[in-house]
mmCIF file of all heavy atoms in Angstrom:
data_model
loop_
_atom_site.group_PDB
_atom_site.id
_atom_site.type_symbol
_atom_site.label_atom_id
_atom_site.label_comp_id
_atom_site.label_asym_id
_atom_site.label_seq_id
_atom_site.Cartn_x
_atom_site.Cartn_y
_atom_site.Cartn_z
ATOM 1 N N VAL Q 1 -26.177 -74.951 -5.984
ATOM 2 C CA VAL Q 1 -25.738 -73.631 -5.556
ATOM 3 C C VAL Q 1 -26.748 -72.615 -6.061
ATOM 4 O O VAL Q 1 -27.190 -72.686 -7.211
ATOM 5 C CB VAL Q 1 -24.340 -73.289 -6.128
ATOM 6 C CG1 VAL Q 1 -23.929 -71.876 -5.762
ATOM 7 C CG2 VAL Q 1 -23.301 -74.283 -5.653
ATOM 8 N N SER Q 2 -27.113 -71.690 -5.193
ATOM 9 C CA SER Q 2 -28.014 -70.596 -5.553
ATOM 10 C C SER Q 2 -27.328 -69.281 -5.239
ATOM 11 O O SER Q 2 -26.514 -69.194 -4.330
ATOM 12 C CB SER Q 2 -29.313 -70.677 -4.750
ATOM 13 O OG SER Q 2 -29.970 -71.889 -4.994
ATOM 14 N N HIS Q 3 -27.672 -68.257 -6.010
ATOM 15 C CA HIS Q 3 -27.179 -66.906 -5.770
ATOM 16 C C HIS Q 3 -28.364 -66.001 -5.489
ATOM 17 O O HIS Q 3 -29.441 -66.179 -6.067
ATOM 18 C CB HIS Q 3 -26.426 -66.368 -6.992
ATOM 19 C CG HIS Q 3 -25.094 -66.989 -7.170
ATOM 20 N ND1 HIS Q 3 -24.897 -68.136 -7.896
ATOM 21 C CD2 HIS Q 3 -23.870 -66.630 -6.705
ATOM 22 C CE1 HIS Q 3 -23.612 -68.454 -7.886
ATOM 23 N NE2 HIS Q 3 -22.972 -67.557 -7.173
ATOM 24 N N ALA Q 4 -28.160 -65.024 -4.623
ATOM 25 C CA ALA Q 4 -29.202 -64.045 -4.348
ATOM 26 C C ALA Q 4 -29.479 -63.251 -5.618
ATOM 27 O O ALA Q 4 -28.570 -62.910 -6.358
ATOM 28 C CB ALA Q 4 -28.769 -63.119 -3.221
ATOM 29 N N SER Q 5 -30.745 -62.977 -5.864
ATOM 30 C CA SER Q 5 -31.107 -62.178 -7.041
ATOM 31 C C SER Q 5 -31.435 -60.753 -6.601
ATOM 32 O O SER Q 5 -31.648 -60.479 -5.415
ATOM 33 C CB SER Q 5 -32.284 -62.813 -7.777
ATOM 34 O OG SER Q 5 -33.405 -62.892 -6.932
ATOM 35 N N SER Q 6 -31.471 -59.848 -7.540
ATOM 36 C CA SER Q 6 -31.686 -58.435 -7.232
ATOM 37 C C SER Q 6 -33.069 -58.164 -6.638
ATOM 38 O O SER Q 6 -33.263 -57.160 -5.965
ATOM 39 C CB SER Q 6 -31.474 -57.587 -8.489
ATOM 40 O OG SER Q 6 -32.357 -58.003 -9.507
ATOM 41 N N ASP Q 7 -34.027 -59.058 -6.855
ATOM 42 C CA ASP Q 7 -35.378 -58.842 -6.324
ATOM 43 C C ASP Q 7 -35.553 -59.411 -4.920
ATOM 44 O O ASP Q 7 -36.664 -59.471 -4.406
ATOM 45 C CB ASP Q 7 -36.422 -59.427 -7.275
ATOM 46 C CG ASP Q 7 -36.315 -60.937 -7.418
ATOM 47 O OD1 ASP Q 7 -35.481 -61.571 -6.738
ATOM 48 O OD2 ASP Q 7 -37.075 -61.498 -8.229
ATOM 49 N N GLY Q 8 -34.449 -59.842 -4.293
ATOM 50 C CA GLY Q 8 -34.518 -60.370 -2.937
ATOM 51 C C GLY Q 8 -34.704 -61.870 -2.871
ATOM 52 O O GLY Q 8 -34.617 -62.463 -1.800
ATOM 53 N N GLY Q 9 -34.954 -62.512 -3.979
ATOM 54 C CA GLY Q 9 -35.098 -63.963 -4.020
ATOM 55 C C GLY Q 9 -33.758 -64.618 -4.303
ATOM 56 O O GLY Q 9 -32.701 -64.061 -4.008
ATOM 57 N N SER Q 10 -33.808 -65.778 -4.869
ATOM 58 C CA SER Q 10 -32.570 -66.461 -5.253
ATOM 59 C C SER Q 10 -32.808 -67.216 -6.549
ATOM 60 O O SER Q 10 -33.932 -67.551 -6.881
ATOM 61 C CB SER Q 10 -32.095 -67.413 -4.161
ATOM 62 O OG SER Q 10 -32.988 -68.489 -4.013
ATOM 63 N N SER Q 11 -31.712 -67.458 -7.255
ATOM 64 C CA SER Q 11 -31.803 -68.238 -8.486
ATOM 65 C C SER Q 11 -30.761 -69.334 -8.441
ATOM 66 O O SER Q 11 -29.622 -69.108 -8.020
ATOM 67 C CB SER Q 11 -31.603 -67.348 -9.713
ATOM 68 O OG SER Q 11 -30.317 -66.788 -9.709
ATOM 69 N N ARG Q 12 -31.175 -70.526 -8.852
ATOM 70 C CA ARG Q 12 -30.260 -71.654 -8.848
ATOM 71 C C ARG Q 12 -29.260 -71.485 -9.980
ATOM 72 O O ARG Q 12 -29.605 -71.246 -11.116
ATOM 73 C CB ARG Q 12 -31.006 -72.967 -9.008
ATOM 74 C CG ARG Q 12 -30.046 -74.151 -8.879
ATOM 75 C CD ARG Q 12 -30.704 -75.492 -8.957
ATOM 76 N NE ARG Q 12 -31.745 -75.607 -7.973
ATOM 77 C CZ ARG Q 12 -32.790 -76.409 -8.133
ATOM 78 N NH1 ARG Q 12 -32.914 -77.151 -9.187
ATOM 79 N NH2 ARG Q 12 -33.714 -76.459 -7.213
ATOM 80 N N THR Q 13 -27.986 -71.624 -9.624
ATOM 81 C CA THR Q 13 -26.899 -71.506 -10.586
ATOM 82 C C THR Q 13 -26.447 -72.878 -11.048
ATOM 83 O O THR Q 13 -25.981 -73.041 -12.161
ATOM 84 C CB THR Q 13 -25.708 -70.777 -9.934
ATOM 85 O OG1 THR Q 13 -26.176 -69.532 -9.447
ATOM 86 C CG2 THR Q 13 -24.581 -70.552 -10.899
ATOM 87 N N LEU Q 14 -26.584 -73.867 -10.177
ATOM 88 C CA LEU Q 14 -26.038 -75.192 -10.431
ATOM 89 C C LEU Q 14 -26.859 -76.243 -9.720
ATOM 90 O O LEU Q 14 -27.264 -76.054 -8.578
ATOM 91 C CB LEU Q 14 -24.598 -75.238 -9.894
ATOM 92 C CG LEU Q 14 -23.877 -76.570 -9.932
ATOM 93 C CD1 LEU Q 14 -23.551 -76.941 -11.366
ATOM 94 C CD2 LEU Q 14 -22.605 -76.495 -9.120
ATOM 95 N N GLY Q 15 -27.086 -77.363 -10.403
ATOM 96 C CA GLY Q 15 -27.634 -78.548 -9.763
ATOM 97 C C GLY Q 15 -29.148 -78.592 -9.723
ATOM 98 O O GLY Q 15 -29.816 -77.799 -10.349
ATOM 99 N N PRO Q 16 -29.613 -79.560 -8.962
ATOM 100 C CA PRO Q 16 -28.866 -80.461 -8.076
ATOM 101 C C PRO Q 16 -28.125 -81.561 -8.840
ATOM 102 O O PRO Q 16 -28.615 -82.072 -9.835
ATOM 103 C CB PRO Q 16 -29.941 -81.070 -7.178
ATOM 104 C CG PRO Q 16 -31.208 -80.966 -7.958
ATOM 105 C CD PRO Q 16 -31.067 -79.778 -8.868
ATOM 106 N N LEU Q 17 -26.926 -81.854 -8.360
ATOM 107 C CA LEU Q 17 -26.062 -82.873 -8.959
ATOM 108 C C LEU Q 17 -25.734 -83.954 -7.945
ATOM 109 O O LEU Q 17 -25.460 -83.666 -6.786
ATOM 110 C CB LEU Q 17 -24.732 -82.253 -9.407
ATOM 111 C CG LEU Q 17 -24.758 -81.227 -10.516
ATOM 112 C CD1 LEU Q 17 -23.381 -80.617 -10.674
ATOM 113 C CD2 LEU Q 17 -25.197 -81.880 -11.806
ATOM 114 N N THR Q 18 -25.718 -85.181 -8.416
ATOM 115 C CA THR Q 18 -25.224 -86.306 -7.631
ATOM 116 C C THR Q 18 -24.250 -87.043 -8.528
ATOM 117 O O THR Q 18 -24.621 -87.495 -9.615
ATOM 118 C CB THR Q 18 -26.376 -87.236 -7.197
ATOM 119 O OG1 THR Q 18 -27.265 -86.489 -6.358
ATOM 120 C CG2 THR Q 18 -25.845 -88.440 -6.452
ATOM 121 N N LEU Q 19 -22.985 -87.079 -8.102
ATOM 122 C CA LEU Q 19 -21.968 -87.754 -8.903
ATOM 123 C C LEU Q 19 -20.756 -88.054 -8.053
ATOM 124 O O LEU Q 19 -20.602 -87.556 -6.951
ATOM 125 C CB LEU Q 19 -21.558 -86.904 -10.119
ATOM 126 C CG LEU Q 19 -20.871 -85.566 -9.855
ATOM 127 C CD1 LEU Q 19 -19.368 -85.712 -9.903
ATOM 128 C CD2 LEU Q 19 -21.301 -84.570 -10.922
ATOM 129 N N GLY Q 20 -19.898 -88.914 -8.576
ATOM 130 C CA GLY Q 20 -18.648 -89.249 -7.905
ATOM 131 C C GLY Q 20 -17.515 -89.327 -8.907
ATOM 132 O O GLY Q 20 -17.719 -89.736 -10.050
ATOM 133 N N VAL Q 21 -16.345 -88.900 -8.481
ATOM 134 C CA VAL Q 21 -15.138 -88.980 -9.297
ATOM 135 C C VAL Q 21 -14.089 -89.705 -8.473
ATOM 136 O O VAL Q 21 -13.763 -89.280 -7.363
ATOM 137 C CB VAL Q 21 -14.627 -87.576 -9.701
ATOM 138 C CG1 VAL Q 21 -13.362 -87.688 -10.531
ATOM 139 C CG2 VAL Q 21 -15.699 -86.807 -10.455
ATOM 140 N N GLU Q 22 -13.584 -90.787 -9.004
ATOM 141 C CA GLU Q 22 -12.558 -91.574 -8.315
ATOM 142 C C GLU Q 22 -11.180 -90.957 -8.533
ATOM 143 O O GLU Q 22 -10.937 -90.292 -9.539
ATOM 144 C CB GLU Q 22 -12.542 -93.013 -8.853
ATOM 145 C CG GLU Q 22 -13.820 -93.781 -8.631
ATOM 146 C CD GLU Q 22 -14.016 -94.230 -7.196
ATOM 147 O OE1 GLU Q 22 -13.053 -94.185 -6.397
ATOM 148 O OE2 GLU Q 22 -15.146 -94.618 -6.870
ATOM 149 N N ALA Q 23 -10.265 -91.189 -7.617
ATOM 150 C CA ALA Q 23 -8.882 -90.731 -7.764
ATOM 151 C C ALA Q 23 -8.309 -91.291 -9.059
ATOM 152 O O ALA Q 23 -8.506 -92.463 -9.380
ATOM 153 C CB ALA Q 23 -8.048 -91.173 -6.572
ATOM 154 N N GLY Q 24 -7.657 -90.462 -9.854
ATOM 155 C CA GLY Q 24 -7.054 -90.884 -11.109
ATOM 156 C C GLY Q 24 -7.999 -90.864 -12.294
ATOM 157 O O GLY Q 24 -7.558 -90.987 -13.435
ATOM 158 N N GLU Q 25 -9.277 -90.737 -12.047
ATOM 159 C CA GLU Q 25 -10.259 -90.689 -13.129
ATOM 160 C C GLU Q 25 -10.192 -89.327 -13.819
ATOM 161 O O GLU Q 25 -9.989 -88.301 -13.179
ATOM 162 C CB GLU Q 25 -11.657 -90.900 -12.543
ATOM 163 C CG GLU Q 25 -12.749 -91.032 -13.555
ATOM 164 C CD GLU Q 25 -14.096 -91.370 -12.905
ATOM 165 O OE1 GLU Q 25 -14.209 -91.387 -11.668
ATOM 166 O OE2 GLU Q 25 -15.029 -91.620 -13.673
ATOM 167 N N ARG Q 26 -10.349 -89.314 -15.126
ATOM 168 C CA ARG Q 26 -10.363 -88.065 -15.896
ATOM 169 C C ARG Q 26 -11.790 -87.777 -16.309
ATOM 170 O O ARG Q 26 -12.492 -88.651 -16.808
ATOM 171 C CB ARG Q 26 -9.468 -88.179 -17.116
ATOM 172 C CG ARG Q 26 -8.025 -88.351 -16.736
ATOM 173 C CD ARG Q 26 -7.173 -88.587 -17.950
ATOM 174 N NE ARG Q 26 -5.867 -89.047 -17.567
ATOM 175 C CZ ARG Q 26 -4.799 -88.272 -17.482
ATOM 176 N NH1 ARG Q 26 -4.899 -87.002 -17.750
ATOM 177 N NH2 ARG Q 26 -3.642 -88.774 -17.125
ATOM 178 N N VAL Q 27 -12.181 -86.528 -16.109
ATOM 179 C CA VAL Q 27 -13.561 -86.130 -16.373
ATOM 180 C C VAL Q 27 -13.563 -84.886 -17.244
ATOM 181 O O VAL Q 27 -12.803 -83.950 -17.000
ATOM 182 C CB VAL Q 27 -14.292 -85.825 -15.041
ATOM 183 C CG1 VAL Q 27 -15.703 -85.339 -15.300
ATOM 184 C CG2 VAL Q 27 -14.298 -87.051 -14.145
ATOM 185 N N LEU Q 28 -14.416 -84.866 -18.250
ATOM 186 C CA LEU Q 28 -14.604 -83.692 -19.086
ATOM 187 C C LEU Q 28 -15.857 -82.978 -18.605
ATOM 188 O O LEU Q 28 -16.925 -83.569 -18.506
ATOM 189 C CB LEU Q 28 -14.777 -84.094 -20.553
ATOM 190 C CG LEU Q 28 -15.167 -82.968 -21.510
ATOM 191 C CD1 LEU Q 28 -14.055 -81.928 -21.590
ATOM 192 C CD2 LEU Q 28 -15.481 -83.541 -22.880
ATOM 193 N N LEU Q 29 -15.705 -81.711 -18.289
ATOM 194 C CA LEU Q 29 -16.832 -80.883 -17.880
ATOM 195 C C LEU Q 29 -17.154 -79.974 -19.058
ATOM 196 O O LEU Q 29 -16.375 -79.092 -19.410
ATOM 197 C CB LEU Q 29 -16.441 -80.067 -16.642
ATOM 198 C CG LEU Q 29 -17.509 -79.225 -15.988
ATOM 199 C CD1 LEU Q 29 -18.704 -80.080 -15.575
ATOM 200 C CD2 LEU Q 29 -16.924 -78.515 -14.787
ATOM 201 N N LEU Q 30 -18.297 -80.217 -19.690
ATOM 202 C CA LEU Q 30 -18.617 -79.563 -20.944
ATOM 203 C C LEU Q 30 -20.022 -78.983 -20.880
ATOM 204 O O LEU Q 30 -20.926 -79.595 -20.331
ATOM 205 C CB LEU Q 30 -18.534 -80.602 -22.069
ATOM 206 C CG LEU Q 30 -18.819 -80.176 -23.477
ATOM 207 C CD1 LEU Q 30 -17.724 -79.245 -23.983
ATOM 208 C CD2 LEU Q 30 -18.904 -81.407 -24.374
ATOM 209 N N GLY Q 31 -20.187 -77.806 -21.434
ATOM 210 C CA GLY Q 31 -21.514 -77.209 -21.510
ATOM 211 C C GLY Q 31 -21.416 -75.779 -21.968
ATOM 212 O O GLY Q 31 -20.345 -75.178 -21.948
ATOM 213 N N PRO Q 32 -22.555 -75.217 -22.355
ATOM 214 C CA PRO Q 32 -22.549 -73.830 -22.825
ATOM 215 C C PRO Q 32 -22.244 -72.854 -21.692
ATOM 216 O O PRO Q 32 -22.321 -73.199 -20.511
ATOM 217 C CB PRO Q 32 -23.968 -73.631 -23.363
ATOM 218 C CG PRO Q 32 -24.789 -74.679 -22.727
ATOM 219 C CD PRO Q 32 -23.878 -75.821 -22.412
ATOM 220 N N SER Q 33 -21.920 -71.642 -22.068
ATOM 221 C CA SER Q 33 -21.632 -70.587 -21.107
ATOM 222 C C SER Q 33 -22.833 -70.373 -20.190
ATOM 223 O O SER Q 33 -23.981 -70.381 -20.630
ATOM 224 C CB SER Q 33 -21.315 -69.301 -21.870
ATOM 225 O OG SER Q 33 -20.996 -68.277 -20.985
ATOM 226 N N GLY Q 34 -22.549 -70.211 -18.905
ATOM 227 C CA GLY Q 34 -23.598 -69.875 -17.950
ATOM 228 C C GLY Q 34 -24.314 -71.029 -17.296
ATOM 229 O O GLY Q 34 -25.266 -70.807 -16.552
ATOM 230 N N VAL Q 35 -23.873 -72.277 -17.517
ATOM 231 C CA VAL Q 35 -24.589 -73.411 -16.928
ATOM 232 C C VAL Q 35 -24.030 -73.850 -15.579
ATOM 233 O O VAL Q 35 -24.580 -74.752 -14.958
ATOM 234 C CB VAL Q 35 -24.662 -74.631 -17.885
ATOM 235 C CG1 VAL Q 35 -25.434 -74.278 -19.130
ATOM 236 C CG2 VAL Q 35 -23.297 -75.178 -18.199
ATOM 237 N N GLY Q 36 -22.924 -73.232 -15.118
ATOM 238 C CA GLY Q 36 -22.414 -73.535 -13.790
ATOM 239 C C GLY Q 36 -21.112 -74.314 -13.748
ATOM 240 O O GLY Q 36 -20.723 -74.796 -12.685
ATOM 241 N N LYS Q 37 -20.413 -74.441 -14.862
ATOM 242 C CA LYS Q 37 -19.144 -75.197 -14.867
ATOM 243 C C LYS Q 37 -18.126 -74.572 -13.918
ATOM 244 O O LYS Q 37 -17.539 -75.265 -13.091
ATOM 245 C CB LYS Q 37 -18.563 -75.263 -16.283
ATOM 246 C CG LYS Q 37 -19.440 -75.951 -17.312
ATOM 247 C CD LYS Q 37 -18.831 -75.957 -18.703
ATOM 248 C CE LYS Q 37 -18.494 -74.601 -19.249
ATOM 249 N NZ LYS Q 37 -19.646 -73.744 -19.575
ATOM 250 N N SER Q 38 -17.929 -73.277 -14.021
ATOM 251 C CA SER Q 38 -16.963 -72.592 -13.151
ATOM 252 C C SER Q 38 -17.412 -72.635 -11.698
ATOM 253 O O SER Q 38 -16.599 -72.783 -10.789
ATOM 254 C CB SER Q 38 -16.765 -71.141 -13.594
ATOM 255 O OG SER Q 38 -16.166 -71.101 -14.863
ATOM 256 N N THR Q 39 -18.714 -72.513 -11.468
ATOM 257 C CA THR Q 39 -19.244 -72.597 -10.105
ATOM 258 C C THR Q 39 -18.954 -73.958 -9.498
ATOM 259 O O THR Q 39 -18.526 -74.058 -8.348
ATOM 260 C CB THR Q 39 -20.758 -72.314 -10.106
ATOM 261 O OG1 THR Q 39 -20.977 -70.990 -10.624
ATOM 262 C CG2 THR Q 39 -21.350 -72.427 -8.717
ATOM 263 N N LEU Q 40 -19.151 -75.025 -10.270
ATOM 264 C CA LEU Q 40 -18.866 -76.374 -9.782
ATOM 265 C C LEU Q 40 -17.394 -76.521 -9.444
ATOM 266 O O LEU Q 40 -17.031 -77.036 -8.382
ATOM 267 C CB LEU Q 40 -19.277 -77.416 -10.815
ATOM 268 C CG LEU Q 40 -18.915 -78.864 -10.489
ATOM 269 C CD1 LEU Q 40 -19.564 -79.310 -9.184
ATOM 270 C CD2 LEU Q 40 -19.296 -79.775 -11.636
ATOM 271 N N LEU Q 41 -16.511 -76.076 -10.324
ATOM 272 C CA LEU Q 41 -15.076 -76.208 -10.066
ATOM 273 C C LEU Q 41 -14.646 -75.370 -8.870
ATOM 274 O O LEU Q 41 -13.812 -75.802 -8.067
ATOM 275 C CB LEU Q 41 -14.283 -75.835 -11.317
ATOM 276 C CG LEU Q 41 -14.499 -76.782 -12.500
ATOM 277 C CD1 LEU Q 41 -13.781 -76.261 -13.734
ATOM 278 C CD2 LEU Q 41 -14.048 -78.196 -12.169
ATOM 279 N N ALA Q 42 -15.208 -74.187 -8.714
ATOM 280 C CA ALA Q 42 -14.896 -73.361 -7.545
ATOM 281 C C ALA Q 42 -15.373 -74.042 -6.262
ATOM 282 O O ALA Q 42 -14.691 -73.998 -5.233
ATOM 283 C CB ALA Q 42 -15.532 -71.985 -7.691
ATOM 284 N N ALA Q 43 -16.514 -74.711 -6.311
ATOM 285 C CA ALA Q 43 -17.021 -75.430 -5.142
ATOM 286 C C ALA Q 43 -16.090 -76.584 -4.776
ATOM 287 O O ALA Q 43 -15.765 -76.788 -3.605
ATOM 288 C CB ALA Q 43 -18.432 -75.943 -5.409
ATOM 289 N N ILE Q 44 -15.654 -77.346 -5.771
ATOM 290 C CA ILE Q 44 -14.739 -78.467 -5.515
ATOM 291 C C ILE Q 44 -13.412 -77.963 -4.958
ATOM 292 O O ILE Q 44 -12.811 -78.587 -4.090
ATOM 293 C CB ILE Q 44 -14.535 -79.309 -6.791
ATOM 294 C CG1 ILE Q 44 -15.835 -80.023 -7.158
ATOM 295 C CG2 ILE Q 44 -13.397 -80.317 -6.602
ATOM 296 C CD1 ILE Q 44 -15.825 -80.678 -8.525
ATOM 297 N N ALA Q 45 -12.956 -76.799 -5.433
ATOM 298 C CA ALA Q 45 -11.704 -76.218 -4.948
ATOM 299 C C ALA Q 45 -11.863 -75.592 -3.564
ATOM 300 O O ALA Q 45 -10.871 -75.206 -2.944
ATOM 301 C CB ALA Q 45 -11.177 -75.184 -5.936
ATOM 302 N N GLY Q 46 -13.094 -75.476 -3.069
ATOM 303 C CA GLY Q 46 -13.318 -74.958 -1.725
ATOM 304 C C GLY Q 46 -13.315 -73.448 -1.631
ATOM 305 O O GLY Q 46 -13.122 -72.912 -0.539
ATOM 306 N N VAL Q 47 -13.543 -72.756 -2.722
ATOM 307 C CA VAL Q 47 -13.495 -71.298 -2.675
ATOM 308 C C VAL Q 47 -14.871 -70.634 -2.720
ATOM 309 O O VAL Q 47 -14.948 -69.411 -2.718
ATOM 310 C CB VAL Q 47 -12.585 -70.711 -3.786
ATOM 311 C CG1 VAL Q 47 -11.160 -71.160 -3.598
ATOM 312 C CG2 VAL Q 47 -13.090 -71.085 -5.163
ATOM 313 N N LEU Q 48 -15.933 -71.402 -2.693
ATOM 314 C CA LEU Q 48 -17.272 -70.808 -2.670
ATOM 315 C C LEU Q 48 -17.781 -70.579 -1.264
ATOM 316 O O LEU Q 48 -18.750 -69.861 -1.071
ATOM 317 C CB LEU Q 48 -18.288 -71.736 -3.356
ATOM 318 C CG LEU Q 48 -18.437 -71.679 -4.852
ATOM 319 C CD1 LEU Q 48 -19.624 -72.519 -5.278
ATOM 320 C CD2 LEU Q 48 -18.572 -70.279 -5.357
#
């Protein structure tokens, strides 16, 4: 995922990621602030 930047370009917010989560599998999403955790979850929820 990339976001438009103020200078007219874009900056990558997340990825590239390749992964799979099976039904019933539990996954911990961990990382420092600003690395794209919320962006990833919003993408999976279909709100991006």
Side-chain angles (χ1 to χ4, degrees):
V1 176
S2 300
H3 287 89
S5 60
S6 58
D7 64 4
S10 67
S11 63
R12 185 177 304 153
T13 304
L14 174 70
L17 295 173
T18 298
L19 64 95
V21 179
E22 298 285 346
E25 187 175 6
R26 295 175 193 261
V27 177
L28 172 65
L29 185 57
L30 180 68
S33 182
V35 297
K37 299 179 303 291
S38 294
T39 300
L40 174 60
L41 295 174
I44 292 170
V47 297
L48 276 188

